[in-house]
Amino acid sequence: DDDDDDGADDDDDDDRTPRRRRWDLEKYGVPINQEDMAATLLGFSANVVVGIDIIAGRPLPEDERRDYIALWRYLGWLLGIDTVETVD
């Protein structure tokens, strides 16, 4: 076991090869893949905005839409979801 808390163990089987890092299943459980996390984020962000548009019968004001998506983008970052950075 590693003493660091990064969730991975060093594999010291062969000193001639780079160390591989493995997830500590016993300590952290089964990891969630990026695709599942991104799909969940989509369900709570963009899909909700579309649902509000449908239920309200009109689109959300652009500033509210942008703020809501920005909040969920930040939450995704906190959760460790990979993002592609874009410049507007």
Side-chain angles (χ1 to χ4, degrees):
D1 248 355
D2 264 348
D3 289 317
D4 58 357
D5 256 346
D6 65 359
D9 289 329
D10 288 330
D11 187 10
D12 294 322
D13 292 340
D14 187 350
D15 289 333
R16 295 173 294 157
T17 59
R19 292 183 179 196
R20 293 183 317 173
R21 313 276 292 165
R22 289 190 286 173
W23 186 257
D24 186 343
L25 288 174
E26 188 174 314
K27 188 172 186 178
Y28 297 104
V30 177
I32 302 170
N33 66 46
Q34 287 290 315
E35 290 83 8
D36 288 344
M37 291 194 308
T40 300
L41 185 70
L42 179 65
F44 284 101
S45 60
N47 290 349
V48 170
V49 171
V50 170
I52 291 171
D53 291 347
I54 292 169
I55 290 172
R58 59 183 172 78
L60 278 174
E62 187 58 35
D63 59 336
E64 290 182 29
R65 178 184 304 271
R66 186 179 50 252
D67 292 346
Y68 185 79
I69 295 298
L71 170 66
W72 277 99
R73 183 173 184 208
Y74 175 65
L75 291 172
W77 177 79
L78 289 174
L79 293 169
I81 298 173
D82 292 338
T83 61
V84 176
E85 297 298 319
T86 58
V87 178
D88 293 333

